[in-house]
Amino acid sequence: MTSSAIRDVSGAVLEIDLAAIGANWCTLRALHSAGPVAGVVKADAYGLGAAQVAPVLHAAGCRHFFVAHLAEAEAIRGLLPQHGPDATLLAVLSGLIPGTEALYAESGIVPVLGSLAEIDHWAAHARRLGRILPALLHVDTGMHRLGLDARELALLAQDPARLDGIGLRYVMTHLVSAELSDDPLNETQRRRFAQACAVLPATPRSLANSSGIFLGDAFASDLARPGAALYGINPTPDRPNPMRPAVRLRARVLQVREIPAGESVGYNAIWRAGRPSRIATACVGYADGWLRSQSGRGHALFDGAPVPLVGRVSMDLTTYDVTDHPAIGPGAWLELIGPDLPADAVAQAAGTNGYEILTSLGRRYARVYTA
Ligand SMILES: *Cc1c(COP(=O)(O)O)cnc(C)c1O
């Protein structure tokens, strides 16, 4: 189906610029001279389509991929070479759920081990198979979600034989506030990570996420793990966005109606017209991940000009005050996300971050990929 055929039946179109995602990976690769740069493609590549994004990153030179869950890795494994010079490492951040050892070992997907129990299970499986099994090791330096804590790390340092049978590829940790460049936690975590690595067998290290890459050389490591910046989210929120925009979302106006001053629009009448108004109803709603928390806030763009969102976002429809935009009629396209209205800005109106805006993008949009 051609993209114009898709457009004809669609009230909303999500365009994803794969060339921009590839270019963003190259930008990060150039910035992180200490070592390779992975591609984090969890949550279906932050909502943009892991099956489309992963091959593009591989073509750009990416050889390390991270997802959150084993099922996500299984879904894209066939798209990534596992042998030969282009072979990839495909790692699962959520680690080894008991009972999944055989699935990992058979598929070559690599677990990120996050506790002594996971280490013991993986090492036992390696003994059963009589071969070395690869893994990453996650140490907790302050996030306190996954990873070996200080007590577990000390136990492992006393008894390094617990790692027998495990081929440790990287030791990693995850930064709590990398996007806040002056947060003292960054330096605390960097120090704790160095201390942890010092008591572990010599292994390459992985530290920075997207924003961490911009924290300077002290946060460089043998493998950076950016996700958000690949997809155009600003990794340096207090500075202009160095990444290329990768997403454009547009929705059509279904109807435009005139309402007298004093009338309300939408559920619960949370917005009332202060003047005779023209209201455009667009073909997008919270069932599309167009978050309801934007109700009465935020805006779309028409010909580059802001058009205020009014009233509640409902399941399939969102209303805009187009009184000042006489050119907007039925069939007009409103831009909801784009180069001049990034996901980060939409997120501000919705009281969230750009990550949640992208990962919420719905399944009803016609998706158009440009290469
Ligand atoms: C999601 C995630 C990343 C990528 O983070 P971004 O901020 O999107 O670059 C890296 N490492 C871990 C452990 C993650 O969970």
Side-chain angles (χ1 to χ4, degrees):
M1 193 161 33
T2 65
S3 60
S4 63
I6 292 172
R7 283 197 183 98
D8 289 343
V9 295
S10 306
V13 176
L14 177 63
E15 289 169 68
I16 294 156
D17 185 346
L18 294 170
I21 295 171
N24 284 337
W25 185 85
C26 292
T27 298
L28 298 170
R29 177 71 192 89
L31 281 168
H32 191 260
S33 50
V37 168
V40 178
V41 293
K42 62 189 179 187
D44 202 23
Y46 290 48
L48 304 188
Q52 287 77 16
V53 167
V56 166
L57 295 179
H58 187 267
C62 182
R63 294 294 177 267
H64 303 77
F65 293 82
F66 287 88
V67 292
H69 302 310
L70 180 54
E72 295 182 305
E74 288 184 323
I76 60 168
R77 187 176 74 100
L79 303 170
L80 298 171
Q82 294 191 68
H83 304 287
D86 292 339
T88 55
L89 181 149
L90 175 54
V92 174
L93 292 164
S94 62
L96 198 66
I97 294 175
T100 56
E101 293 87 349
L103 289 173
Y104 276 104
E106 285 158 21
S107 62
I109 297 167
V110 180
V112 177
L113 305 176
S115 69
L116 275 182
E118 290 180 35
I119 290 173
D120 292 344
H121 286 134
W122 198 228
H125 198 67
R127 275 196 302 278
R128 274 197 294 278
L129 296 180
R131 62 181 169 99
I132 303 287
L133 292 177
L136 283 77
L137 185 62
H138 190 169
V139 298
D140 181 4
T141 56
M143 190 72 93
H144 301 322
R145 302 183 307 187
L146 303 174
L148 273 73
D149 62 18
R151 187 192 61 86
E152 288 189 305
L153 197 63
L155 288 171
L156 183 60
Q158 282 164 22
D159 188 7
R162 286 175 93 154
L163 290 166
D164 285 355
I166 298 177
L168 265 197
R169 301 290 301 273
Y170 291 93
V171 177
M172 59 164 270
T173 196
H174 192 38
L175 296 168
V176 171
S177 294
E179 76 281 12
L180 309 174
S181 56
D182 53 1
D183 191 317
L185 254 179
N186 291 324
E187 178 53 25
T188 300
Q189 288 191 275
R190 193 196 63 75
R191 202 184 58 243
R192 288 178 181 165
F193 187 47
Q195 288 163 352
C197 292
V199 303
L200 290 169
T203 309
R205 305 175 186 190
S206 177
L207 175 55
N209 65 338
S210 297
S211 296
I213 293 172
F214 293 82
L215 288 175
D217 289 344
F219 291 82
S221 67
D222 302 302
L223 180 67
R225 303 185 312 275
L230 298 173
Y231 312 112
I233 289 175
N234 187 355
T236 58
D238 49 355
R239 284 179 273 153
N241 191 348
M243 313 316 298
R244 256 172 72 175
V247 178
R248 189 163 176 233
L249 176 64
R250 293 178 303 143
R252 284 192 117 164
V253 171
L254 296 167
Q255 291 194 16
V256 176
R257 65 191 52 234
E258 310 211 344
I259 62 167
E263 283 296 306
S264 66
V265 171
Y267 285 116
N268 307 133
I270 65 164
W271 185 83
R272 215 167 271 283
R275 57 177 175 168
S277 299
R278 292 176 75 244
I279 302 299
T281 300
C283 206
V284 62
Y286 62 74
D288 302 296
W290 197 238
L291 301 182
R292 190 169 176 274
S293 55
Q294 294 176 94
S295 297
R297 305 164 66 180
H299 63 274
L301 294 178
F302 181 77
D303 265 352
V307 181
L309 190 164
V310 294
R312 279 241 199 280
V313 174
S314 47
M315 186 182 293
D316 315 301
L317 301 169
T318 301
T319 41
Y320 294 88
D321 178 0
V322 299
T323 313
D324 299 327
H325 302 273
I328 296 179
W333 289 96
L334 298 180
E335 180 147 313
L336 305 183
I337 299 176
D340 299 318
L341 183 52
D344 297 299
V346 174
Q348 246 179 358
T352 181
N353 61 7
Y355 296 60
E356 193 180 21
I357 297 298
L358 293 191
T359 57
S360 299
L361 289 169
R363 299 167 301 280
R364 258 190 326 199
Y365 299 131
R367 289 183 172 227
V368 179
Y369 288 92
T370 56

